[in-house]
Amino acid sequence: MTTEDKREVDNRSNILACALERFAARGYDAVGVQEIVEAAGITKPTLYHYFGSKLGLLEVLLAGHFAGLEAALAPVVVYKGDLPYTLERVAAAYFQYAAAQRLFYRFQLALWFAPPNSEAFRAVSPFHKKQQQLLETLFMDAARDHGNMRGRHRAYAATYLGMLNTYIGLALNEYTELNDVLVYRAVHQFMHGIFS
């Protein structure tokens, strides 16, 4: 890698980090390009060179971070005959990712509740839908072994992801810790409802 290439990577990383810090603290709509470039020590044309726009910056930020979450989920979200074990692995993957990427996770949680017609919601929506679809597939596959789950995959996926995100939100605000004990409790709390 040449010195110029390294500087390009460093500039992009710096801009993304400065943007994420501000977006997580105050929300996407409340942060302007000028604030980001001042924090990053660059000019607006530099930001536009790398990302094209504030929306382009958001899209790159989301794609990069969600790729990490998807990579953490890919090996654990596949149902292999033991639903509690699979759900524990999924919960652990979410909790570990959220603990390691606190700023991003807080920011993306806030985007779940952005106005549906907003730029931010439209940018994050495909990533949230993908998470929902991964979990729906898991529950559809598990329904082969658990007949009472048949046809409920969408509700189970939404409920499970909502529960995990609630616990993560509590942990990000220091009301609980994302640890193995919480993984166990969360999964067993959820499972109690499935089989009753």
Side-chain angles (χ1 to χ4, degrees):
M1 181 179 288
T2 68
T3 303
E4 181 65 26
D5 290 339
K6 183 170 176 12
R7 191 171 74 221
E8 294 264 331
V9 169
D10 290 347
N11 265 346
R12 283 176 56 89
S13 297
N14 180 42
I15 296 165
L16 289 165
C18 289
L20 176 57
E21 190 174 296
R22 277 136 194 88
F23 293 159
R26 296 200 334 275
Y28 174 77
D29 290 329
V31 177
V33 170
Q34 186 63 41
E35 182 179 344
I36 296 167
V37 299
E38 285 176 4
I42 59 162
T43 63
K44 282 185 181 180
T46 302
L47 184 142
Y48 296 137
H49 166 74
Y50 291 118
F51 304 105
S53 64
K54 181 181 167 188
L55 176 58
L57 171 62
L58 175 63
E59 290 169 341
V60 170
L61 180 69
L62 292 173
H65 282 279
F66 274 113
L69 177 57
E70 290 168 13
L73 289 173
V76 301
V77 78
V78 178
Y79 176 70
K80 294 181 181 173
D82 186 338
L83 187 57
Y85 175 72
T86 303
L87 293 178
E88 284 179 8
R89 293 183 71 205
V90 169
Y94 269 102
F95 288 1
Q96 289 165 5
Y97 183 83
Q101 300 293 330
R102 295 175 71 85
L103 281 179
F104 175 73
Y105 213 91
R106 177 182 301 283
F107 174 53
Q108 74 87 26
L109 276 180
L111 294 181
W112 277 96
F113 303 102
N117 292 326
S118 70
E119 197 171 75
F121 183 84
R122 287 192 312 268
V124 79
S125 185
F127 299 104
H128 287 168
K129 284 179 182 175
K130 186 165 185 181
Q131 289 178 67
Q132 174 74 18
Q133 289 168 346
L134 285 171
L135 292 175
E136 283 184 26
T137 299
L138 184 155
F139 286 111
M140 281 191 293
D141 292 345
R144 288 190 300 259
D145 296 335
H146 306 283
N148 66 327
M149 292 174 57
R150 219 165 254 112
R152 300 180 188 176
H153 58 278
R154 180 166 289 157
Y156 286 152
T159 302
Y160 191 63
L161 186 54
M163 180 189 68
L164 295 179
N165 281 333
T166 297
Y167 279 125
I168 290 168
L170 289 170
L172 292 174
N173 290 326
E174 300 181 8
Y175 288 107
T176 192
E177 286 185 39
L178 299 174
N179 56 32
D180 291 341
V181 172
L182 185 57
V183 166
Y184 178 83
R185 286 182 182 161
V187 169
H188 287 275
Q189 170 191 343
F190 180 77
M191 292 299 294
H192 180 73
I194 287 178
F195 292 128
S196 59

